[in-house]
Amino acid sequence: MTLLRETDSPERRVEKLSRISDVLIDRIDRLEEMRGSAWSMFQAAVALEQEVEARTRELERVLADLSERNRELAVARAAAEEANRSKTRFLRAASHDLLQPLSAARLFLTALSDTDLDPFQQELTGRLAGAFDRSKS
């Protein structure tokens, strides 16, 4: 199928060639748009990929920082727990050391009250025993 015929008049040939030219130019324009659109899409994809890489690096940095903070918190927690255990041991030992003389004094007071005492000594031992009883409660 030939679009141009020998029998066509020159005007008809010019008209056909003009239409063919218009169609070809339209195709070229569409191809250029598609290529330009494809190029724009490619550029957008490259930009998005760079953005994803940058955000990934930032997330990795933040995760590493968070991991380091968690390690620091674990160390601080372990140190605080050890300090608490040390404090408990110290308070237990201090309490024992402070109560030991009082227990000894109670024992001596009990032994003293079991002996023969004059009325003045009995009054003193009674006051001391009352003081010890009040300090327990």
Side-chain angles (χ1 to χ4, degrees):
M1 172 175 130
T2 309
L3 296 177
L4 296 176
R5 296 189 185 120
E6 293 289 327
T7 58
D8 287 340
S9 69
E11 293 84 20
R12 176 79 177 141
R13 294 182 108 193
V14 167
E15 182 186 322
K16 284 183 176 182
L17 286 173
S18 179
R19 278 191 279 161
I20 290 171
S21 174
D22 289 343
V23 168
L24 288 174
I25 288 173
D26 186 50
R27 280 187 184 174
I28 290 172
D29 285 345
R30 278 188 276 142
L31 284 173
E32 282 297 314
E33 285 176 15
M34 286 175 41
R35 190 168 46 157
S37 175
W39 177 249
S40 296
M41 289 174 64
F42 173 75
Q43 287 176 321
V46 167
L48 285 172
E49 182 179 1
Q50 289 171 346
E51 181 72 20
V52 166
E53 286 177 10
R55 289 182 183 219
T56 299
R57 283 190 302 272
E58 177 66 15
L59 281 173
E60 288 170 347
R61 187 193 63 73
V62 168
L63 284 174
D65 187 49
L66 180 62
S67 180
E68 179 61 27
R69 296 282 184 264
N70 282 338
R71 279 191 292 277
E72 290 171 1
L73 284 173
V75 168
R77 182 178 181 179
E81 287 173 351
E82 179 56 33
N84 192 37
R85 284 190 295 273
S86 293
K87 176 193 71 157
T88 301
R89 284 191 302 270
F90 172 78
L91 289 176
R92 190 179 304 129
S95 174
H96 175 73
D97 290 347
L98 290 173
L99 291 177
Q100 194 172 14
L102 291 176
S103 296
R106 278 193 190 108
L107 287 173
F108 285 129
L109 185 59
T110 302
L112 184 61
S113 64
D114 288 343
T115 61
D116 291 330
L117 302 173
D118 64 40
F120 177 71
Q121 292 171 331
Q122 287 177 351
E123 180 185 346
L124 282 177
T125 56
R127 285 185 185 176
L128 283 171
F132 278 111
D133 289 340
R134 283 191 298 275
S135 70
K136 282 199 285 188
S137 53

